[in-house]
Amino acid sequence: MLLMTLKPWLAISILFSFFLSNVIGAFVGINIGTDVSNSPPASDVVALLKARQITHVRLFNADAHMLKALANTSIEVIISVTNNEVLGIGESPSAAADWVNRNVAAYMPGVNITAIAVGSEVLTAIPNVAPVLVPAMNYLHKALVASQLNHQVKVSAPQSMDVIAKSFPPSTATFNSSWNSTIFQILQFLRNTNSYYMLNAYPYYEYVHSDGIFPIEYALFQPLSAVKQIVDPNTLFHYESMFDALVDATYNSIEALNFSDIPVVVTETGWPWAGDSKEPDATKENAETFNNNLIRRVSNDTGPPSQPKNPINTFIYEMFNEDKRPGPISERSWGIFSTNGSEVYPISLGSPGGISGNSSRAFCVAKPGADENKLQDGINWACGQGHANCSAIQSGQPCYFPDTLQNHASYAYNDYYQRMRSLGGTCDFDGTATMTTQDPSSRTCKFTGSSSPGGGVFPPAAFGPIGQISRSSTTRSPVFVRTVVVLLALLMLDVNVHFVF
């Protein structure tokens, strides 16, 4: 029996983790890279995350500006030890402790940090550092234990599909034997710390490298004809997508090393929307199809054929194009948003932020394609002489994104019109405005006159990867609920709480 005395704020975090992790389904998060020219201010990036109801992000480093901006948002955050940092941390427990103190403890509990990703595909990207990867993970975990943060913050290390010798058929997949010793140690660490396997899985690359063996529909989650069905000959499992097959290949590789209780989280996947002449499948149409179908697939809360009860929590690569990356055009064309907050292509991630068409009210909005100089003049007049309240379209506010003249003009025009129409105000603005019955509001940006709730309400974040949870487990007994209420009352009074396990 273990008796623990926890700080009140930490006890609250653990209590809510336990309570919410059983009622929240699979999530789709997003990666935020570092090789971006003219990256928006961190406050604007977080405003976009909130506007689109994105509740999970993975940072490719531990950027102080982003972490400060993420404070008090409830957004779950995976922060990363960069590949350049792995060696130093793997050779020095004190370096690991310093890293945790500076990049984790210093920001909690305000920032909802839930995991540390140690490096990026270290085994295949920088194999000479592989011998210290597991020591680095261990040292970081021990530093979290010393700070009483290990219950909330997990440690893992993202790996590419290249560590698996042959991914199809999934039932026979195994890790590359040259990495067996290191991967065994990683899996042992993950099991001992109740963490999860971080997988970077890209059907785009698997499809391109298959030289036509697999149809593109299989890579894009599209229906397969009877003659194109993909079946594992050993299990007779039907695979409707390459994504599912890659996740199952990973589960089977883990099982081949006699581990069966480690969940898989896909920390990177996606599809490039542009490429050069040798990359004909890197198109906006394919990227839109892949990512929207991915979101639908993950959202159904089921796992791959061999693990149907394990939802596939997933992070899309990536938020903005990392335009400073070397290589072919496709390497710089994975972003789903432009740096002004507009979509590169339509995507259903989070809240759509667009028009909802069930309103009987009338709104004054900017005409599509209107002259930009006239739009700017219209904004200036509406927000000035017109006395429209334009605070919501300022940087960092709910209606700032998309950061376009069209969006800002629509908000300003409508606010003016709704305030002044009873006094003779019109919807014209030198021919750049038009009336519509479609409500332009999103969940976080409420236009004046809207009957929708608006106002920045978004669903609570899931606390950590979701394991094997049955639907029946989401119902709590009255005794449990009363216990939660009592504990919260004690914690709010700053009473030390003792947990007995």
Side-chain angles (χ1 to χ4, degrees):
M1 184 167 63
L2 177 63
L3 179 65
M4 298 181 64
T5 300
L6 300 179
K7 298 174 182 178
W9 70 263
L10 181 57
I12 290 173
S13 297
I14 296 170
L15 183 61
F16 274 108
S17 296
F18 178 64
F19 182 68
L20 290 177
S21 64
N22 284 319
V23 298
I24 304 297
F27 64 78
V28 177
I30 196 164
N31 287 276
I32 303 178
T34 57
D35 293 332
V36 182
S37 297
N38 303 315
S39 181
S43 59
D44 290 349
V45 175
V46 173
L48 177 57
L49 292 172
K50 292 168 68 177
R52 295 305 299 253
Q53 308 289 297
I54 298 170
T55 57
H56 295 74
V57 299
R58 174 182 169 222
L59 307 180
F60 276 40
N61 55 15
D63 181 75
H65 298 292
M66 279 301 301
L67 290 171
K68 289 176 182 177
L70 286 162
N72 305 313
T73 64
S74 296
I75 295 173
E76 280 202 25
V77 184
I78 296 177
I79 61 173
S80 301
V81 173
T82 66
N83 282 355
N84 290 334
E85 296 173 312
V86 174
L87 183 60
I89 290 174
E91 293 180 336
S92 169
S94 61
D98 178 65
W99 195 95
V100 166
N101 287 333
R102 286 186 294 105
N103 301 307
V104 183
Y107 295 99
M108 295 181 69
V111 182
N112 189 15
I113 299 171
T114 59
I116 299 171
V118 185
S120 178
E121 305 179 357
V122 168
L123 300 187
T124 50
I126 47 173
N128 60 301
V129 177
V132 300
L133 177 58
V134 176
M137 296 169 72
N138 271 302
Y139 293 153
L140 288 165
H141 176 71
K142 289 178 180 177
L144 291 170
V145 171
S147 299
Q148 292 188 320
L149 295 172
N150 56 301
H151 294 282
Q152 186 172 349
V153 183
K154 300 302 179 183
V155 177
S156 190
Q159 303 300 333
S160 72
M161 285 298 302
D162 291 338
V163 300
I164 295 176
K166 186 180 179 183
S167 62
F168 198 89
S171 61
T172 62
T174 58
F175 289 112
N176 190 314
S177 59
S178 62
W179 296 118
N180 269 1
S181 176
T182 301
I183 291 177
F184 183 88
Q185 294 175 57
I186 291 174
L187 296 176
Q188 201 166 36
F189 170 87
L190 299 178
R191 182 180 63 186
N192 291 344
T193 61
N194 194 31
S195 188
Y196 52 95
Y197 186 94
M198 292 181 171
L199 169 67
N200 293 349
Y202 287 95
Y204 170 75
Y205 290 124
E206 300 291 331
Y207 166 72
V208 169
H209 296 152
S210 73
D211 294 324
I213 295 176
F214 296 107
I216 192 168
E217 294 88 350
Y218 178 54
L220 294 173
F221 299 89
Q222 293 177 319
L224 298 172
S225 65
V227 296
K228 291 183 178 180
Q229 294 293 308
I230 308 298
V231 181
D232 186 316
N234 302 308
T235 61
L236 299 184
F237 286 145
H238 283 246
Y239 285 90
E240 298 180 359
S241 73
M242 185 178 287
F243 178 80
D244 277 68
L246 296 178
V247 174
D248 241 357
T250 304
Y251 271 115
N252 283 300
S253 298
I254 292 172
E255 189 172 342
L257 290 179
N258 296 316
F259 293 90
S260 58
D261 53 355
I262 299 172
V264 172
V265 172
V266 178
T267 39
E268 289 181 32
T269 194
W271 197 280
W273 58 265
D276 58 32
S277 59
K278 296 180 180 179
E279 304 171 297
D281 298 300
T283 65
K284 282 188 179 180
E285 181 181 5
N286 285 345
E288 178 183 346
T289 299
F290 177 88
N291 279 324
N292 282 307
N293 284 340
L294 168 74
I295 293 164
R296 280 189 285 271
R297 164 65 189 91
V298 172
S299 298
N300 71 16
D301 267 1
T302 62
S306 79
Q307 303 283 333
K309 294 183 180 180
N310 275 350
I312 311 173
N313 295 320
T314 300
F315 291 81
I316 291 176
Y317 182 83
E318 59 187 327
M319 192 162 186
F320 305 116
N321 289 330
E322 290 190 275
D323 58 312
K324 295 193 288 184
R325 290 177 63 88
I329 293 174
S330 63
E331 282 293 308
R332 299 179 292 280
S333 306
W334 294 80
I336 63 176
F337 295 109
S338 299
T339 52
N340 69 359
S342 60
E343 298 171 336
V344 174
Y345 48 82
I347 188 166
S348 57
L349 180 64
S351 168
I355 292 173
S356 56
N358 296 316
S359 173
S360 60
R361 304 190 180 206
F363 298 87
C364 177
V365 297
K367 285 182 179 178
D371 181 84
E372 291 196 350
N373 290 327
K374 289 185 176 181
L375 286 176
Q376 186 62 66
D377 290 341
I379 293 171
N380 293 342
W381 188 89
C383 298
Q385 292 175 262
H387 301 292
N389 183 353
C390 297
S391 60
I393 56 176
Q394 303 306 307
S395 178
Q397 298 304 308
C399 301
Y400 179 70
F401 285 109
D403 179 18
T404 63
L405 285 172
Q406 176 85 25
N407 177 63
H408 291 178
S410 290
Y411 187 90
Y413 289 2
N414 182 69
D415 194 86
Y416 164 80
Y417 175 75
Q418 301 294 349
R419 291 170 183 270
M420 303 301 294
R421 61 180 177 169
S422 62
L423 300 176
T426 60
C427 180
D428 181 74
F429 291 93
D430 198 16
T432 63
T434 185
M435 296 298 298
T436 179
T437 58
Q438 289 185 310
D439 189 345
S441 301
S442 68
R443 288 189 180 181
T444 56
C445 176
K446 182 179 178 181
F447 273 55
T448 305
S450 171
S451 58
S452 63
V457 179
F458 57 100
F463 285 78
I466 307 304
Q468 297 188 22
I469 300 167
S470 65
R471 290 296 178 187
S472 61
S473 69
T474 63
T475 303
R476 292 298 183 188
S477 69
V479 172
F480 176 85
V481 174
R482 286 197 297 271
T483 302
V484 169
V485 172
V486 172
L487 284 172
L488 286 176
L490 291 171
L491 292 169
M492 298 300 272
L493 292 172
D494 201 31
V495 176
N496 282 332
V497 178
H498 302 273
F499 289 85
V500 179
F501 299 95

